[in-house]
Amino acid sequence: MTDRITIEGHDGAFAAYIARPKAVPAPAVVVLQELFGVNADIRKTCDELAEQGFIAVAPDLFWRQEPGVDLSVTSEPDWQHGLRLYQAYDRDAGAKDVKETADVVAKLPECSGKVAVLGYCLGGLMTFLTAARYGVDAAVAYHGGDTEKYLGEIDGLNAPLLMHLAEEDEFISKAAQAEIKAALAKKPNTMVYSYPGQNHAFSRHGGVHYNAEAAALAHERTYEFLNRQLRRPSVASAHKGEKTMTAKTTQTKPSIVFCHGLWADGSCFSKLIVPLQAEGYECIAAQYGLNSTAEDVALVKATIGRVSGPVILVGHSYGGTVITGAGVDDRVAALVYICALAPDADETSQTQQSNFPKTDVFSHIDVVDGRIWLRREGTKYFCGDLSEQDQKLVWATQGVPKPDLFDAKAGGTAWKSKPSWYIVGKNDHTVHPDLERFFAKRISAKVTELDSSHVPMLSQPERVIDVIRAAAKGVQQVTAAA
């Protein structure tokens, strides 16, 4: 069977590389090139997608200028050739070409009808433009250059979008990345992943900045996203067996209950809840009053009853003490600690804190009217990796705990019987990182360390979501085995 097809567009016909999976019908992915054309790297990407069970089609974006461009990433003349094509490329016409490609591919006999668009660099930008202007079933953009110039079109973006950004990208400045993240944060169906220390095209096969570990992580996220978005059977096209399988999966997907810490409430998990809800997780945040640990634990147990089981408890900071107590509930299947306390039965939050150096935040609090208040300047030591505006918001919406919370026991030690995951904030100035590591080791947790302040769920939500997904996967495996 040929590896080329022809796309009959309104402005003319152009070629596309196609890679087919072993099993069809299957969902499809339209793969969009960098400035090198449909070269060996793009063809290999298509082949890898086919191995994952997708039809992969890479259209010739430069067909109007020079059909059949196939350039080497290691040749300087080819680089210059590609740059000239890139600079002269008609992006508006190109977005129409991509949409027409998706429409043609959706009608292929081997296609299930679901089509995503996935692109790199120029292709990443064209992915964003196509999704915003015409709509697709899903979109994945790797380091899309110039995306920040088109953020005014974001209101048209309704398709689920996954974006990968390299933090040290030499073609997308940190300011541009910040603009992109801020704009996409307003769209509930989008997710942006940043890759620290990585340069542009870190996932390009054989590229000068290729990083196998970062590329593998990005591709794993991409495959998971594509499977989630494209393999949901519709009423019109799903086979009976697919419906049964989906129903079983939905029934075993755990619910997630979030438990906040001091100077916070459930809204501190908003950057986690919205994406997880979009993935089909039932989520709820326990809104307790920080009046007493016993009351807070009781409220969490009541909250567990508002969702279907099994349940994953996610606790941040003092919320770790709360989930340690509430997690003994039989409906709880796993625990996720975020820069959190995890006392034993005979310990309190205070006894554990006193065993390690006093952290900076406690020099910036006031105990007034029976409550512990965080001073304005204290946000630097609580959430210092957030923007100044976000720090002001954290201060303005702070919860105000009673001092004796630190002296109360949790009323249970769930981590002794429930599998646990732990996120350490290496730059935490509220709970000492070494105390966090002590807890993580003692409870035999699966550990992730992040270069974050005390609030990684706000500063690095995508990394925290990865940990929650891992916990959910562990719960699902246990549930399926049972």
Side-chain angles (χ1 to χ4, degrees):
M1 187 177 292
T2 180
D3 62 1
R4 304 282 171 171
I5 61 173
T6 299
I7 307 298
E8 297 287 349
H10 285 91
D11 295 338
F14 51 95
Y17 178 83
I18 184 169
R20 297 176 175 88
K22 292 181 179 179
V24 294
V29 181
V30 175
V31 180
L32 304 183
Q33 65 189 55
E34 298 180 272
L35 56 83
F36 307 103
V38 183
N39 65 351
D41 173 63
I42 292 298
R43 296 193 296 272
K44 185 173 182 179
T45 297
C46 290
D47 295 342
E48 290 171 347
L49 283 163
E51 292 174 2
Q52 294 293 322
F54 300 100
I55 301 165
V57 177
D60 181 358
L61 296 186
F62 289 154
W63 70 275
R64 285 183 173 83
Q65 301 157 269
E66 182 183 332
V69 172
D70 182 351
L71 302 176
S72 169
V73 301
T74 60
S75 165
E76 181 60 25
D78 279 6
W79 266 89
Q80 296 305 318
H81 188 172
L83 283 171
R84 288 191 293 271
L85 292 169
Y86 172 86
Q87 291 164 356
Y89 181 66
D90 186 334
R91 295 170 178 179
D92 295 330
K96 294 179 182 178
D97 290 343
V98 177
K99 176 56 177 173
E100 289 179 349
T101 302
D103 290 342
V104 169
V105 171
K107 296 175 183 177
L108 292 175
E110 61 266 44
C111 183
S112 66
K114 295 285 187 73
V115 182
V117 178
L118 180 156
Y120 300 84
C121 190
L122 169 63
L125 169 62
M126 299 312 300
T127 295
F128 176 83
L129 290 180
T130 304
R133 295 179 180 181
Y134 302 109
V136 290
D137 290 314
V140 180
Y142 284 74
H143 44 78
D146 282 351
T147 299
E148 71 278 5
K149 297 179 181 179
Y150 295 88
L151 294 176
E153 301 188 34
I154 200 166
D155 287 345
L157 179 65
N158 295 311
L161 170 68
L162 174 63
M163 184 174 289
H164 302 286
L165 293 174
E167 289 191 5
E168 303 305 320
D169 197 313
E170 57 271 40
F171 301 109
I172 308 175
S173 68
K174 291 185 184 297
Q177 292 183 44
E179 287 183 51
I180 293 168
K181 291 177 181 178
L184 292 180
K186 301 174 184 177
K187 304 293 290 187
N189 55 351
T190 64
M191 174 62 68
V192 180
Y193 286 104
S194 291
Y195 296 83
Q198 301 307 310
N199 295 91
H200 190 78
F202 66 87
S203 64
R204 182 194 296 146
H205 304 98
V208 64
H209 294 307
Y210 177 73
N211 183 285
E213 182 179 359
L217 177 59
H219 294 334
E220 179 183 358
R221 289 165 168 168
T222 293
Y223 297 149
E224 181 182 24
F225 174 81
L226 292 173
N227 275 302
R228 186 168 66 248
Q229 301 300 333
L230 300 184
R231 297 190 188 279
R232 293 175 177 170
S234 65
V235 174
S237 63
H239 296 292
K240 183 176 180 181
E242 289 175 335
K243 288 181 180 178
T244 302
M245 184 179 296
T246 300
K248 180 178 180 181
T249 301
T250 301
Q251 290 170 3
T252 58
K253 183 167 281 191
S255 298
I256 304 168
V257 175
F258 293 91
C259 301
H260 63 83
L262 309 182
W263 306 309
D265 64 9
S267 66
C268 70
F269 298 109
S270 59
K271 291 185 178 181
L272 311 182
I273 291 173
V274 172
L276 287 168
Q277 285 177 330
E279 294 177 18
Y281 290 97
E282 190 175 6
C283 301
I284 190 170
Q287 297 281 40
Y288 39 81
L290 302 174
N291 295 315
S292 79
T293 300
E295 289 179 7
D296 295 344
V297 168
L299 194 282
V300 171
K301 289 182 178 180
T303 305
I304 291 170
R306 306 306 300 169
V307 294
S308 56
V311 170
I312 296 173
L313 291 183
V314 179
H316 171 247
S317 192
Y318 160 76
T321 297
V322 177
I323 68 171
T324 297
V328 297
D329 190 292
D330 290 339
R331 295 167 290 185
V332 175
L335 309 168
V336 176
Y337 292 86
I338 305 173
C339 302
L341 306 174
D344 207 338
D346 60 346
E347 298 170 346
T348 68
S349 301
Q350 183 59 46
T351 57
Q352 283 303 303
Q353 294 264 52
S354 62
N355 290 331
F356 288 80
K358 181 180 178 181
T359 51
D360 296 322
V361 77
F362 292 104
S363 297
H364 301 275
I365 60 173
D366 292 316
V367 181
V368 180
D369 298 326
R371 296 284 179 172
I372 306 175
W373 301 81
L374 181 65
R375 298 176 193 162
R376 293 179 188 272
E377 76 276 7
T379 58
K380 175 181 178 181
Y381 307 101
F382 184 70
C383 52
D385 53 353
L386 301 184
S387 67
E388 183 178 353
Q389 181 179 358
D390 285 344
Q391 289 187 47
K392 289 179 179 179
L393 179 61
V394 167
W395 181 86
T397 58
Q398 65 177 283
V400 192
K402 285 190 173 182
D404 56 7
L405 284 181
F406 289 97
D407 299 318
K409 296 178 182 178
T413 49
W415 49 261
K416 289 187 175 181
S417 59
K418 307 292 173 74
S420 301
W421 283 255
Y422 199 107
I423 296 173
V424 173
K426 292 194 286 186
N427 302 319
D428 196 334
H429 293 273
T430 299
V431 175
H432 199 285
D434 287 342
L435 176 56
E436 295 174 10
R437 295 184 181 102
F438 166 80
F439 283 135
K441 182 177 180 180
R442 184 173 68 172
I443 68 180
S444 300
K446 298 175 179 65
V447 183
T448 298
E449 294 208 4
L450 301 179
D451 289 314
S452 79
S453 70
H454 188 56
V455 293
M457 68 281 190
L458 293 174
S459 61
Q460 298 188 38
E462 65 276 4
R463 300 294 303 277
V464 177
I465 288 174
D466 280 344
V467 174
I468 295 173
R469 286 198 191 107
K473 184 176 181 180
V475 170
Q476 286 179 283
Q477 290 172 342
V478 171
T479 302

